[in-house]
Amino acid sequence: MTMSIRRIAIAAAGLALTAGVSAPSAASASSSAPTGTRSLAEVLLADGNQFDSNSADFDIVTEAVLAVLAAKPASPVKVLTDGSVPLTAFIPDDKAFRILAISLTGSGGTEQEVFGKVAGLGIDTVEQVLLYHVVPGATITSRAAARADGAALTTALGPTITVDVLNRHVPVIKLIDKDRDAANPMISRAALNINKGNVQIAHGISRVLRPVNL
């Protein structure tokens, strides 16, 4: 489905940001509570923070976070820099953003070009999309997620995402967002439990979550 940048920007801008941090409405955190306080921002920046040709890493989402914080230092996205605050982030890999760019504009390009198209949505829209990928208040490991079929997770933006466990033992986990027409992302088995042992944890996903039906 081809969508205009204007359409996604207008739709996302209509959503209200939630200032507070709330725990997910369903699904439990890992039974062995982590104690580490390394932030996800530290992890994302650890590879040198450069665009490259590796579509399986997270350069574009890293640049998106930095762009939001540069423009809006008090943004709720800043929680990713505070490793003492428990949260779970579902982070799209660079290929996921290329898929989004193609959907929005009809073309992909290099990581830098894709980032330019994402940034072209406007900083407020980028901020809201990023917040839709963050579940505050709980450290949800892949093991906990695999036991949470049907759980609705409240995001930092407000709208929920739903966990759809296709295979608990492998695990194969899909996340259902608010766009009923676009394909839903899968949690990448190659990028599970990023920053494990810390109260902030992340899992790579194959597509960008969409907080509205487009």
Side-chain angles (χ1 to χ4, degrees), residues 132-172:
Y132 189 55
H133 289 73
V134 177
V135 177
T139 306
I140 306 171
T141 65
S142 61
R143 182 178 181 183
R147 297 176 176 177
D149 188 35
L153 306 179
T154 301
T155 69
L157 183 64
T160 60
I161 52 179
T162 302
V163 180
D164 183 12
V165 181
L166 306 179
N167 186 328
R168 176 177 171 179
H169 301 290
V170 175
V172 177

Side-chain angles (χ1 to χ4, degrees), residues 121-198:
L121 297 173
I123 205 68
D124 290 341
T125 299
V126 174
E127 177 188 47
Q128 292 174 43
V129 171
L130 289 174
L131 290 172
Y132 189 55
H133 289 73
V134 177
V135 177
T139 306
I140 306 171
T141 65
S142 61
R143 182 178 181 183
R147 297 176 176 177
D149 188 35
L153 306 179
T154 301
T155 69
L157 183 64
T160 60
I161 52 179
T162 302
V163 180
D164 183 12
V165 181
L166 306 179
N167 186 328
R168 176 177 171 179
H169 301 290
V170 175
V172 177
I173 304 170
K174 180 189 294 185
L175 299 176
I176 301 174
D177 61 19
K178 297 303 180 184
D179 193 328
R180 295 188 295 272
D181 302 311
N184 289 294
M186 306 293 291
I187 293 180
S188 171
R189 290 178 59 194
L192 296 173
N193 301 317
I194 298 168
N195 208 31
K196 186 176 181 179
N198 294 277

Side-chain angles (χ1 to χ4, degrees), residues 13 28 39 54 70 87 92 113 115 119 137-138 147 155 174 179 209-210:
S28 60
S39 71
N54 180 7
L87 61 82
E113 290 168 339
F115 172 72
R147 297 176 176 177
T155 69
K174 180 189 294 185
D179 193 328
L209 289 163
R210 305 182 186 204

